Amino acid sequence: MPYSPQEKQRALVRVRRIGGQLDALAQALEREADCAAVLQQIAAIRGAVNGLMGEVLESHLRASFAPRSAAPKAAAAALEQTVALLRSYLR
């Protein structure tokens, strides 16, 4: 769950955008659009969902693993490295 009001707002905007993409996909299927266009829309939706998942996961990691140790710089660097790795994986 996004923890700050800004994170929550960004997540809601993404969800609404994904809803619009899903509506467009349903309309394309109803009008029997070309397969390439349908597949492209599905790929766009998948990318949007992956982006949302990445944002929520990053928010969770930052809230759960924020530096609390005696070496906060090292912990912060490890957290940033983990977030960067997850971002690249989710692309």
Side-chain angles (χ1 to χ4, degrees):
M1 175 67 193
Y3 293 95
S4 74
Q6 297 84 6
E7 290 172 338
K8 180 179 177 180
Q9 186 59 35
R10 274 197 313 264
L12 287 170
V13 167
R14 279 184 176 260
V15 167
R16 290 181 186 117
R17 190 177 308 131
I18 292 168
Q21 289 175 314
L22 287 169
D23 290 342
L25 176 60
Q27 290 172 6
L29 291 171
E30 286 173 357
R31 68 175 186 272
E32 298 180 7
D34 182 57
C35 280
V38 170
L39 289 170
Q40 185 175 15
Q41 186 66 31
I42 293 169
I45 293 166
R46 181 179 59 187
V49 169
N50 283 344
L52 174 63
M53 181 171 40
E55 267 192 21
V56 172
L57 182 56
E58 180 177 343
S59 176
H60 173 70
L61 287 172
R62 290 188 188 284
S64 298
F65 301 105
R68 294 183 186 100
S69 67
K73 287 189 178 191
L79 176 60
E80 290 303 320
Q81 188 176 26
T82 302
V83 167
L85 178 67
L86 285 169
R87 278 189 196 145
S88 67
Y89 177 76
L90 291 173
R91 287 189 177 177

